[in-house]
Amino acid sequence: AAAPDDAAILYVVGRCEQRLGEDDAVPHLEAALAADPELSAAAVALAELRHDEGRIEDAIALLDGILARDSDNLRAQLWKGYLSAGDAEIEPAMATLAGFEPELPAHGAPTDVVLFQLTRARLLRRSGDHPGAIAAVDAALGAGAQEPRLLALAAEAARAEGRFLQAEMAATEAVRGSPSNPDFRKLLAAIYLDRRDGTRALNALG
């Protein structure tokens, strides 16, 4: 079993593997969290992977665990808001989201801005405000995030709004940042197909 002192090392290794799309990310992040259950960064990273696996309830449970210890954890709140945006009641969810906005300039990294804007876009789209959703997606794309996972989420959102050129640019950066991740390549290929470019779609799949 890993000692508590190993948790930070396991987290860093798992986070790097997560960025590269390697399967060992999951056991390393699980081991980090087992070694130090209060290591919020590992819990957030593992929640992201559960989201990638389609295990949304498990992702939210991890985030709830963080928030039970630290109710002001901005990253956990924003991820939970993003993951819940498809089912949440729109007006209360928008009000909760608006409460995070004043914190972003002082405490938010580009990742937090992307999550904030993509959550806002999902809620606005559900409310029928498509111009507002497009503006939120554009704000997410312009936030300066370099994490491939966030770039892919922004690309998916841009694609959903018919912003295929912007989606292509974001997905291309996601593939460049994590070239071995097959999901990012599939996303880029799908965007090329949206743009009726079958040759580049095939090339994207490698």
Side-chain angles (χ1 to χ4, degrees):
D5 289 347
D6 296 332
I9 296 172
L10 287 164
Y11 163 69
V12 171
V13 171
R15 191 63 159 161
C16 290
E17 291 167 336
Q18 178 189 22
R19 183 184 180 100
L20 295 172
E22 297 180 2
D23 292 339
D24 285 342
V26 172
H28 283 143
L29 289 171
E30 288 176 337
L33 201 55
D36 183 357
E38 295 189 3
L39 185 57
S40 295
V44 169
L46 194 55
E48 292 172 2
L49 286 171
R50 296 296 185 241
H51 163 262
D52 295 347
E53 296 167 345
R55 296 168 57 183
I56 304 302
E57 290 184 2
D58 290 338
I60 291 175
L62 284 162
L63 298 169
D64 282 339
I66 298 170
L67 294 171
R69 298 187 304 271
D70 177 12
S71 61
D72 294 327
N73 188 297
L74 181 61
R75 184 69 52 83
Q77 291 181 93
L78 288 169
W79 261 115
K80 184 177 179 181
Y82 175 77
L83 295 177
S84 305
D87 300 315
E89 292 186 31
I90 294 173
E91 289 188 10
M94 286 293 288
T96 298
L97 190 65
F100 301 142
E101 190 166 14
E103 298 183 51
L104 293 177
H107 304 292
T111 293
D112 300 308
V113 176
V114 171
L115 289 171
F116 174 87
Q117 294 294 352
L118 292 184
T119 303
R120 190 163 174 269
R122 295 182 77 182
L123 293 168
L124 289 169
R125 187 182 309 120
R126 286 181 57 210
S127 73
D129 183 356
H130 294 288
I134 289 171
V137 169
D138 286 346
L141 290 167
Q146 297 180 343
E147 167 65 37
R149 173 168 284 92
L150 271 294
L151 290 166
L153 290 178
E156 289 172 348
R159 183 186 180 208
E161 297 297 341
R163 311 279 279 184
F164 297 125
L165 176 59
Q166 292 86 346
E168 177 190 329
M169 293 171 65
T172 298
E173 288 301 312
V175 170
R176 185 173 291 123
S178 184
S180 61
N181 189 311
D183 292 333
F184 298 162
R185 290 188 172 277
K186 290 175 185 176
L187 173 60
L188 181 57
I191 294 167
Y192 282 138
L193 289 176
D194 290 334
R195 304 194 71 196
R196 295 179 171 82
D197 193 337
T199 299
R200 293 177 78 187
L202 288 172
N203 290 338
L205 294 173

